[in-house]
Amino acid sequence: KIFSRRIRLDNEVLAREFEQTHIFIHDMKNLLSVFLLLDNLPVDNESILQRYLHFMKMARNNLTSLVEQSLSNMKHFIEPQKPGIHSLQEMIGEMAESDFVTHPDLKDKRIVVDLARDVPAFHFSKLQIRRVLLNLLVNAAQASRPGAEIALVVLGGEDQAVIKVKDSGSGIPEATAGKIFDSHFTTKEKGSGLGLVSCRQIVEKDYGGTISFVSDPLQGTVFTVSLPLPTTKFSQTCSNAA
């Protein structure tokens, strides 16, 4: 019995590790979309830069292929980025110049950004929060028609930063609303059901925040992420450590 229990526990650990790896690779695929900018670079066909550009495109395509294979095999592991003191406003500005215009699901949408000025810089991993925002924006885009508006709002408070992503879709059916955070649950033909799992894991487990949603067939769906802001003393300690 002891041996059987040990095997069962080991299998549970392996299952969690594979699940975590699958989530990482799912989010890597979203982040890779910025390299589509290589296709828009104006370069003379006879120049040495054209050869370099060709090699970069080839490497991008090869990396994308490997990510696709890894999503099936779940055998990659990515070291998490260390947190630092960052500005949500600046990070979203970076995304507006890259992800918003390159990701296949986002580039045909109108993303309207409203950033409060009173949200201070705080201690977070830009990669982790970027993953959260990108997953929520991609989901919103997939729920909306071409050319539709997606709202991204950042609000400040005394003890938290609040991020809202609103789509222009037809809402989440009541029958599936309770399952959308379940691992591998998806209503999309090619979906993996890991985007919202990734969001919830990062927001709740890594930051002690909350993620929730409200949905209406006539007004679409709004996802709300609340991230606790550290105390001044904690922020100063983190800043000195960085």
Side-chain angles (χ1 to χ4, degrees):
K1 290 184 178 180
I2 295 177
F3 183 68
S4 298
R5 182 173 180 271
R6 178 61 183 271
I7 292 177
R8 186 176 69 255
L9 291 175
D10 287 346
N11 286 338
E12 290 174 354
V13 170
L14 285 173
R16 287 195 298 269
E17 290 178 350
F18 275 119
E19 177 77 0
Q20 184 65 59
T21 303
H22 201 178
I23 290 171
F24 281 147
I25 297 168
H26 169 272
D27 291 350
M28 281 176 61
K29 185 178 178 183
N30 280 337
L31 293 167
L32 275 173
S33 66
V34 70
F35 292 104
L36 292 174
L37 286 172
L38 293 173
D39 295 327
N40 300 327
L41 292 179
V43 180
D44 186 346
N45 290 334
E46 301 300 324
S47 71
I48 187 69
L49 291 178
Q50 179 63 30
R51 291 180 57 200
Y52 292 161
L53 185 60
H54 169 72
F55 294 144
M56 285 189 284
K57 288 181 179 179
M58 184 169 61
R60 175 199 65 191
N61 294 338
N62 289 339
L63 183 57
T64 301
S65 178
L66 285 174
V67 168
E68 292 284 359
Q69 293 177 37
S70 298
L71 276 171
S72 299
N73 298 330
M74 296 186 293
K75 292 180 181 178
H76 262 304
F77 180 78
I78 304 171
E79 289 292 336
Q81 183 190 64
K82 293 182 179 180
I85 302 297
H86 302 294
S87 164
L88 268 180
Q89 297 93 320
E90 290 182 5
M91 188 195 73
I92 292 173
E94 294 171 358
M95 293 180 68
E97 296 179 356
S98 55
D99 304 286
F100 292 7
V101 295
T102 59
H103 195 287
D105 291 315
L106 299 179
K107 60 184 181 181
D108 67 338
K109 305 298 188 297
R110 292 184 295 115
I111 302 178
V112 179
V113 179
D114 184 6
L115 304 177
R117 296 182 179 181
D118 60 345
V119 181
F122 64 102
H123 196 248
F124 67 90
S125 162
K126 290 175 70 174
L127 177 56
Q128 284 184 316
I129 302 305
R130 187 173 187 150
R131 287 166 55 194
V132 171
L133 289 181
L134 195 52
N135 275 318
L136 293 178
L137 288 168
V138 168
N139 280 358
Q142 291 174 347
S144 305
R145 65 187 184 283
E149 179 178 298
I150 296 172
L152 171 58
V153 180
V154 175
L155 305 171
E158 292 185 0
D159 57 357
Q160 63 182 352
V162 178
I163 304 168
K164 293 181 177 289
V165 176
K166 181 181 184 303
D167 65 37
S168 301
S170 56
I172 299 173
E174 186 175 346
T176 60
K179 303 177 183 178
I180 65 170
F181 288 107
D182 292 350
S183 181
H184 297 292
F185 175 79
T186 180
T187 58
K188 306 165 191 173
E189 183 178 349
K190 296 183 179 180
S192 64
L194 292 173
L196 289 177
V197 176
S198 173
C199 292
R200 190 174 204 176
Q201 182 179 92
I202 292 171
V203 171
E204 296 185 354
K205 181 180 178 181
D206 296 339
Y207 289 87
T210 61
I211 180 169
S212 59
F213 70 94
V214 292
S215 190
D216 187 291
L218 300 178
Q219 299 182 6
T221 301
V222 181
F223 276 87
T224 301
V225 171
S226 296
L227 299 173
L229 293 176
T231 63
T232 303
K233 181 178 179 179
F234 177 74
S235 297
Q236 184 64 43
T237 301
C238 294
S239 179
N240 293 336

